[in-house]
Amino acid sequence: MSDAPISRLRIVQGDITKLATTAIVNAANSSLLGGGGVDGAIHRAGGPQILAECQQIRARQGGCKVGQAVITSGGRLPAAHVIHTVGPHWNGGHKGEPDKLASCYRSSWQLALENQLESVAFPGISTGIYGYPKAEAAAVAVREVRQWLAAHEWPREVVLVAFDEESKQLYEQHVP
Ligand code: ADP
């Protein structure tokens, strides 16, 4: 595979709510009504506008299924938009978890493509409360980034956000 796509991938360590990418991705739950982890942090930092828009989406389509994604504004966040995707619960790895996780990334990029979003930052979807092993999730994330960027012009840039040093190293292992 050419180097060009991977030059559009950045790995950073830190708090995703501080990033001024065009969109940040939320590891939401299917209710879209907020929760703990990165979901709670995004709603706290972004303010009530994000939840109000999530409630409108719920009224329209009844939440969001695992592997799918929806988009709202970013409220008071530096990012203009939040893409909410629902990752799979880890259940031993034989319940379609890798496909569902890959679908989260692809669904999020599909929204980035449709909305021509320049840059999109992802947390480690499912790797917190949902229990997906971080190493395996990092492998899925980097594989999906490569495949998507090789075939699509949008988003221009993808940022994989590691909350801790261990996650950063796991991402970097997959990126030469
Ligand atoms: P899930 O329910 O999908 O597992 P979590 O929010 O529990 O989602 O965790 C997903 C990942 O996001 C975890 O790796 C966690 O360490 C990380 N995380 C939590 N808060 C933040 C934050 N403010 N910025 C970036 N990553 C975060």
PDB file of all heavy atoms in Angstrom, residues 3-4 8 17 20 25-26 36 41 48 50-51 76 88 90 102 112 120 141 150 174:
ATOM      1  N   ASP A   3       2.386   5.096   0.722  1.00  0.00           N
ATOM      2  CA  ASP A   3       2.539   5.851   1.970  1.00  0.00           C
ATOM      3  C   ASP A   3       1.510   6.958   2.098  1.00  0.00           C
ATOM      4  O   ASP A   3       1.265   7.458   3.178  1.00  0.00           O
ATOM      5  CB  ASP A   3       3.924   6.503   2.026  1.00  0.00           C
ATOM      6  CG  ASP A   3       4.980   5.459   2.324  1.00  0.00           C
ATOM      7  OD1 ASP A   3       4.599   4.347   2.706  1.00  0.00           O
ATOM      8  OD2 ASP A   3       6.168   5.772   2.158  1.00  0.00           O
ATOM      9  N   ALA A   4       0.936   7.359   0.961  1.00  0.00           N
ATOM     10  CA  ALA A   4       0.093   8.556   0.983  1.00  0.00           C
ATOM     11  C   ALA A   4      -1.031   8.486   2.021  1.00  0.00           C
ATOM     12  O   ALA A   4      -1.169   9.401   2.833  1.00  0.00           O
ATOM     13  CB  ALA A   4      -0.468   8.827  -0.401  1.00  0.00           C
ATOM     14  N   ARG A   8      -1.887  10.739   6.210  1.00  0.00           N
ATOM     15  CA  ARG A   8      -3.086  11.459   6.652  1.00  0.00           C
ATOM     16  C   ARG A   8      -3.567  10.940   8.002  1.00  0.00           C
ATOM     17  O   ARG A   8      -4.641  11.311   8.453  1.00  0.00           O
ATOM     18  CB  ARG A   8      -4.194  11.321   5.600  1.00  0.00           C
ATOM     19  CG  ARG A   8      -3.892  12.109   4.323  1.00  0.00           C
ATOM     20  CD  ARG A   8      -4.656  11.569   3.125  1.00  0.00           C
ATOM     21  NE  ARG A   8      -6.088  11.590   3.314  1.00  0.00           N
ATOM     22  CZ  ARG A   8      -6.944  10.853   2.596  1.00  0.00           C
ATOM     23  NH1 ARG A   8      -6.496  10.048   1.651  1.00  0.00           N
ATOM     24  NH2 ARG A   8      -8.224  10.934   2.825  1.00  0.00           N
ATOM     25  N   THR A  17     -11.667  15.815  24.085  1.00  0.00           N
ATOM     26  CA  THR A  17     -12.577  16.976  24.150  1.00  0.00           C
ATOM     27  C   THR A  17     -11.825  18.293  23.915  1.00  0.00           C
ATOM     28  O   THR A  17     -12.451  19.320  23.697  1.00  0.00           O
ATOM     29  CB  THR A  17     -13.316  17.061  25.497  1.00  0.00           C
ATOM     30  OG1 THR A  17     -12.377  17.330  26.544  1.00  0.00           O
ATOM     31  CG2 THR A  17     -14.072  15.790  25.803  1.00  0.00           C
ATOM     32  N   ALA A  20      -9.259  20.392  18.368  1.00  0.00           N
ATOM     33  CA  ALA A  20      -9.980  21.273  17.446  1.00  0.00           C
ATOM     34  C   ALA A  20     -10.037  20.669  16.050  1.00  0.00           C
ATOM     35  O   ALA A  20      -9.900  21.374  15.050  1.00  0.00           O
ATOM     36  CB  ALA A  20      -9.310  22.643  17.425  1.00  0.00           C
ATOM     37  N   VAL A  25     -15.147  11.903  17.568  1.00  0.00           N
ATOM     38  CA  VAL A  25     -16.074  10.773  17.634  1.00  0.00           C
ATOM     39  C   VAL A  25     -16.330  10.441  19.093  1.00  0.00           C
ATOM     40  O   VAL A  25     -15.413  10.458  19.921  1.00  0.00           O
ATOM     41  CB  VAL A  25     -15.512   9.564  16.866  1.00  0.00           C
ATOM     42  CG1 VAL A  25     -16.415   8.340  17.032  1.00  0.00           C
ATOM     43  CG2 VAL A  25     -15.358   9.913  15.381  1.00  0.00           C
ATOM     44  N   ASN A  26     -17.587  10.168  19.396  1.00  0.00           N
ATOM     45  CA  ASN A  26     -17.987   9.765  20.736  1.00  0.00           C
ATOM     46  C   ASN A  26     -18.251   8.263  20.752  1.00  0.00           C
ATOM     47  O   ASN A  26     -18.947   7.746  19.874  1.00  0.00           O
ATOM     48  CB  ASN A  26     -19.264  10.526  21.124  1.00  0.00           C
ATOM     49  CG  ASN A  26     -19.731  10.197  22.526  1.00  0.00           C
ATOM     50  OD1 ASN A  26     -18.979   9.640  23.323  1.00  0.00           O
ATOM     51  ND2 ASN A  26     -20.974  10.536  22.832  1.00  0.00           N
ATOM     52  N   GLY A  36     -20.929   7.177  30.831  1.00  0.00           N
ATOM     53  CA  GLY A  36     -19.652   7.460  31.487  1.00  0.00           C
ATOM     54  C   GLY A  36     -18.537   7.575  30.472  1.00  0.00           C
ATOM     55  O   GLY A  36     -18.788   7.739  29.280  1.00  0.00           O
ATOM     56  N   ALA A  41     -17.507  12.769  29.286  1.00  0.00           N
ATOM     57  CA  ALA A  41     -16.572  13.893  29.138  1.00  0.00           C
ATOM     58  C   ALA A  41     -16.993  14.807  27.986  1.00  0.00           C
ATOM     59  O   ALA A  41     -16.935  16.042  28.091  1.00  0.00           O
ATOM     60  CB  ALA A  41     -15.155  13.354  28.903  1.00  0.00           C
ATOM     61  N   PRO A  48     -25.237  21.367  26.874  1.00  0.00           N
ATOM     62  CA  PRO A  48     -26.540  20.738  26.640  1.00  0.00           C
ATOM     63  C   PRO A  48     -26.976  20.646  25.177  1.00  0.00           C
ATOM     64  O   PRO A  48     -27.856  19.853  24.836  1.00  0.00           O
ATOM     65  CB  PRO A  48     -27.515  21.630  27.426  1.00  0.00           C
ATOM     66  CG  PRO A  48     -26.804  22.924  27.618  1.00  0.00           C
ATOM     67  CD  PRO A  48     -25.341  22.624  27.632  1.00  0.00           C
ATOM     68  N   ILE A  50     -25.547  19.333  22.646  1.00  0.00           N
ATOM     69  CA  ILE A  50     -25.281  18.013  22.048  1.00  0.00           C
ATOM     70  C   ILE A  50     -26.373  17.033  22.452  1.00  0.00           C
ATOM     71  O   ILE A  50     -26.923  16.309  21.607  1.00  0.00           O
ATOM     72  CB  ILE A  50     -23.886  17.491  22.473  1.00  0.00           C
ATOM     73  CG1 ILE A  50     -22.791  18.462  22.021  1.00  0.00           C
ATOM     74  CG2 ILE A  50     -23.631  16.095  21.896  1.00  0.00           C
ATOM     75  CD1 ILE A  50     -21.393  18.097  22.506  1.00  0.00           C
ATOM     76  N   LEU A  51     -26.745  17.029  23.735  1.00  0.00           N
ATOM     77  CA  LEU A  51     -27.789  16.111  24.204  1.00  0.00           C
ATOM     78  C   LEU A  51     -29.133  16.451  23.556  1.00  0.00           C
ATOM     79  O   LEU A  51     -29.894  15.550  23.172  1.00  0.00           O
ATOM     80  CB  LEU A  51     -27.899  16.168  25.729  1.00  0.00           C
ATOM     81  CG  LEU A  51     -28.874  15.173  26.345  1.00  0.00           C
ATOM     82  CD1 LEU A  51     -28.481  13.738  26.004  1.00  0.00           C
ATOM     83  CD2 LEU A  51     -28.938  15.358  27.862  1.00  0.00           C
ATOM     84  N   ARG A  76     -20.263  23.480  22.729  1.00  0.00           N
ATOM     85  CA  ARG A  76     -19.164  24.376  23.149  1.00  0.00           C
ATOM     86  C   ARG A  76     -17.782  23.766  22.961  1.00  0.00           C
ATOM     87  O   ARG A  76     -16.786  24.351  23.395  1.00  0.00           O
ATOM     88  CB  ARG A  76     -19.342  24.741  24.633  1.00  0.00           C
ATOM     89  CG  ARG A  76     -20.579  25.597  24.900  1.00  0.00           C
ATOM     90  CD  ARG A  76     -20.525  26.242  26.286  1.00  0.00           C
ATOM     91  NE  ARG A  76     -20.544  25.281  27.351  1.00  0.00           N
ATOM     92  CZ  ARG A  76     -21.622  25.010  28.100  1.00  0.00           C
ATOM     93  NH1 ARG A  76     -22.755  25.653  27.895  1.00  0.00           N
ATOM     94  NH2 ARG A  76     -21.548  24.129  29.066  1.00  0.00           N
ATOM     95  N   PRO A  88     -19.296  -2.248  19.987  1.00  0.00           N
ATOM     96  CA  PRO A  88     -19.778  -3.508  20.566  1.00  0.00           C
ATOM     97  C   PRO A  88     -19.241  -3.715  21.984  1.00  0.00           C
ATOM     98  O   PRO A  88     -18.124  -3.309  22.284  1.00  0.00           O
ATOM     99  CB  PRO A  88     -19.188  -4.557  19.620  1.00  0.00           C
ATOM    100  CG  PRO A  88     -17.913  -3.932  19.139  1.00  0.00           C
ATOM    101  CD  PRO A  88     -18.181  -2.445  19.050  1.00  0.00           C
ATOM    102  N   TRP A  90     -17.446  -6.183  24.376  1.00  0.00           N
ATOM    103  CA  TRP A  90     -16.585  -7.352  24.193  1.00  0.00           C
ATOM    104  C   TRP A  90     -17.224  -8.542  24.887  1.00  0.00           C
ATOM    105  O   TRP A  90     -17.602  -8.468  26.044  1.00  0.00           O
ATOM    106  CB  TRP A  90     -15.199  -7.088  24.782  1.00  0.00           C
ATOM    107  CG  TRP A  90     -14.271  -8.248  24.616  1.00  0.00           C
ATOM    108  CD1 TRP A  90     -13.915  -9.148  25.576  1.00  0.00           C
ATOM    109  CD2 TRP A  90     -13.580  -8.628  23.422  1.00  0.00           C
ATOM    110  NE1 TRP A  90     -13.042 -10.060  25.056  1.00  0.00           N
ATOM    111  CE2 TRP A  90     -12.819  -9.769  23.738  1.00  0.00           C
ATOM    112  CE3 TRP A  90     -13.534  -8.116  22.121  1.00  0.00           C
ATOM    113  CZ2 TRP A  90     -12.007 -10.407  22.804  1.00  0.00           C
ATOM    114  CZ3 TRP A  90     -12.733  -8.748  21.188  1.00  0.00           C
ATOM    115  CH2 TRP A  90     -11.980  -9.880  21.525  1.00  0.00           C
ATOM    116  N   ALA A 102     -15.219  -2.493  13.375  1.00  0.00           N
ATOM    117  CA  ALA A 102     -14.820  -1.943  12.069  1.00  0.00           C
ATOM    118  C   ALA A 102     -15.957  -1.107  11.486  1.00  0.00           C
ATOM    119  O   ALA A 102     -15.721  -0.030  10.907  1.00  0.00           O
ATOM    120  CB  ALA A 102     -14.461  -3.087  11.120  1.00  0.00           C
ATOM    121  N   ALA A 112     -18.373  11.602   7.691  1.00  0.00           N
ATOM    122  CA  ALA A 112     -17.351  12.612   7.385  1.00  0.00           C
ATOM    123  C   ALA A 112     -17.313  12.896   5.884  1.00  0.00           C
ATOM    124  O   ALA A 112     -17.164  14.043   5.452  1.00  0.00           O
ATOM    125  CB  ALA A 112     -15.987  12.141   7.871  1.00  0.00           C
ATOM    126  N   VAL A 120     -11.086  14.182  11.523  1.00  0.00           N
ATOM    127  CA  VAL A 120     -11.927  13.460  12.484  1.00  0.00           C
ATOM    128  C   VAL A 120     -11.031  12.746  13.486  1.00  0.00           C
ATOM    129  O   VAL A 120     -10.100  12.038  13.097  1.00  0.00           O
ATOM    130  CB  VAL A 120     -12.825  12.419  11.769  1.00  0.00           C
ATOM    131  CG1 VAL A 120     -13.700  11.685  12.779  1.00  0.00           C
ATOM    132  CG2 VAL A 120     -13.701  13.078  10.709  1.00  0.00           C
ATOM    133  N   ALA A 141      -8.554  -0.637  14.375  1.00  0.00           N
ATOM    134  CA  ALA A 141      -8.636   0.795  14.049  1.00  0.00           C
ATOM    135  C   ALA A 141      -7.637   1.162  12.950  1.00  0.00           C
ATOM    136  O   ALA A 141      -8.008   1.791  11.946  1.00  0.00           O
ATOM    137  CB  ALA A 141      -8.376   1.635  15.306  1.00  0.00           C
ATOM    138  N   ALA A 150      -7.083   4.892   1.798  1.00  0.00           N
ATOM    139  CA  ALA A 150      -6.594   4.474   0.478  1.00  0.00           C
ATOM    140  C   ALA A 150      -7.681   4.652  -0.585  1.00  0.00           C
ATOM    141  O   ALA A 150      -7.373   4.821  -1.767  1.00  0.00           O
ATOM    142  CB  ALA A 150      -6.139   3.025   0.525  1.00  0.00           C
ATOM    143  N   HIS A 174       1.394  -0.406  14.939  1.00  0.00           N
ATOM    144  CA  HIS A 174       0.790  -0.766  13.650  1.00  0.00           C
ATOM    145  C   HIS A 174       1.111   0.235  12.556  1.00  0.00           C
ATOM    146  O   HIS A 174       0.716   0.057  11.414  1.00  0.00           O
ATOM    147  CB  HIS A 174      -0.729  -0.874  13.805  1.00  0.00           C
ATOM    148  CG  HIS A 174      -1.119  -1.998  14.718  1.00  0.00           C
ATOM    149  ND1 HIS A 174      -1.088  -3.309  14.330  1.00  0.00           N
ATOM    150  CD2 HIS A 174      -1.502  -1.980  16.015  1.00  0.00           C
ATOM    151  CE1 HIS A 174      -1.456  -4.063  15.351  1.00  0.00           C
ATOM    152  NE2 HIS A 174      -1.714  -3.295  16.384  1.00  0.00           N
TER     153      HIS A 174
END
